[in-house]
Amino acid sequence: HASADTPPPPHDPYCESGPLLRNNKGEPWVAQRNRPRRNRKSAVIRRMVQEAIVRPSNFIYPLFIHEGESDEAIASMPGCSRLSAGSVLKEVEDAMQYGVKTFILFPKIPDQLKSNYADECYNPEGLVPRTVRAIKDKFPEAMVCTDIALDPYSDQGHDGVVENGQILNDHTIAQLCKQAACQARAGSDVVAPSDMMDGRVGAIRDALDSEGHITTSIMAYTAKYASAFYGPFRDALDSHPGFGDKKTYQQDPANGREALIETALDVSEGADILMVKPGMPYLDVVLRLRAATDLPVAVYHVSGEYAMLRAASERGWLDEKKSVMEAMTCFKRAGADIILTYFAKNCAKWIAQDGEPCY
């Protein structure tokens, strides 16, 4: 026996009580049949067994548009700009050569056209209908989505009609139906109500069908949270709330089960695609929706998430290509079929260059 002053002998992993044996070649051997690393041993097998695969066709590319004749950089979203009429066509053409063929438009509306009832939102000669027609005329194979909400057009900065400091649900829906019909007439393939008013999906579906727009899809912002990650987007559209916040209509970030209530309602009202917004902090909600419905699930990688990754990459703290592609793959792994991201064109380029995920 060793004395108190003598250290114990080193543990022998090959002794009777140790974990290791020796194989027939005298090499160390942990006796186990299941070794998951066998399916990771080469790039070829990793690619073969990959569960979540990101393709350019999974992306929807958000584009900011404005009435100006030149582009305006968005300071809080490096690499993004408010695009002029000519530039938006060039950006669509550029993205399409890499396989990104679906776009969603977000307008910055001049202040003089804003009002409480946001009547500019259904002006057939407004910024969005004109841009939709221009894109569809030049690129008929492109799929154009349009945002259904009043906040870009509201002098109150809210997604609905305001009265005595309250957001009026049903008055707002009446305006949203006019907006959706206007955009469908212009050629929008998918209308995307982001307002979070109760009952708006069913009302919009009926409004579209009553005019014969039975093939116009609805991508509902089903689980849109009252998030702190929207700041740069509101800078881009100059649509910060004029008072208060949006917590009476957007969901509480603390609530997950509530998203299933919204899911059931949107499905019953005729939604074609369900969306979760924001993205990375809400992967659990994406998974909940995926388990609750067979409809396609979209996720919005929002402006704050974009800005964080861009800022960290610019400072050399992250590898932009690897970190962004990892984020996209995580969305697919959680159950998303569709990803809205400002990195859409970049990701499609990386995929084309590498032929496989970049992380």
Side-chain angles (χ1 to χ4, degrees), residues 151-343:
D151 52 325
Y153 308 86
S154 169
D155 60 6
Q156 306 293 311
H158 275 279
D159 293 55
V161 176
V162 178
E163 184 176 285
N164 299 322
Q166 303 295 314
I167 311 302
L168 302 182
N169 192 92
D170 295 10
H171 290 68
T172 297
I173 289 176
Q175 298 295 86
L176 298 176
C177 289
K178 297 175 188 176
Q179 182 183 22
C182 172
Q183 293 177 357
R185 289 183 211 116
S188 176
D189 298 290
V190 181
V191 295
S194 63
D195 57 287
M196 291 299 287
M197 298 296 117
D198 292 339
R200 90 278 200 208
V201 171
I204 290 170
R205 182 72 271 160
D206 290 347
L208 293 172
D209 290 354
S210 69
E211 289 201 7
H213 302 297
I214 59 173
T215 62
T216 304
S217 304
I218 296 178
M219 178 168 62
Y221 285 62
T222 297
K224 182 179 180 181
Y225 285 85
S227 172
F229 288 93
Y230 302 150
F233 178 94
R234 292 171 182 169
D235 293 342
L237 299 191
D238 188 22
S239 62
H240 290 272
F243 65 90
D245 52 44
K246 300 190 176 186
K247 294 180 180 179
T248 66
Y249 46 99
Q250 295 178 356
Q251 287 183 231
D252 186 339
N255 294 350
R257 295 191 304 272
E258 185 179 16
L260 300 181
I261 297 172
E262 297 286 355
T263 297
L265 289 169
D266 287 356
V267 171
S268 70
E269 292 175 25
D272 299 290
I273 301 168
L274 309 179
M275 189 198 299
V276 176
K277 181 182 179 184
M280 289 296 289
Y282 294 85
L283 291 181
D284 63 308
V285 180
V286 175
L287 183 61
R288 288 175 192 242
L289 263 67
R290 176 70 290 146
T293 181
D294 290 326
L295 288 178
V297 174
V299 63
Y300 200 142
H301 188 231
V302 300
S303 60
E305 299 171 78
Y306 170 88
M308 289 191 299
L309 285 171
R310 284 305 305 264
S313 301
E314 288 176 354
R315 287 160 178 77
W317 298 341
L318 289 175
D319 182 305
E320 182 175 69
K321 180 178 177 181
K322 290 181 178 179
S323 58
V324 170
M325 286 305 300
E326 182 178 340
M328 300 302 116
T329 303
C330 290
F331 291 137
K332 289 297 295 289
R333 188 195 67 228
D337 304 290
I338 300 163
I339 304 167
L340 290 81
T341 177
Y342 306 99
F343 285 113

Side-chain angles (χ1 to χ4, degrees), residues 22 63 65 72 88 125 133 210 217 227 242 272 277 304 323 344:
R22 290 189 183 277
L63 299 175
I65 56 176
E72 294 179 353
V88 73
E125 297 306 316
R133 289 195 293 267
S210 69
S217 304
S227 172
D272 299 290
K277 181 182 179 184
S323 58

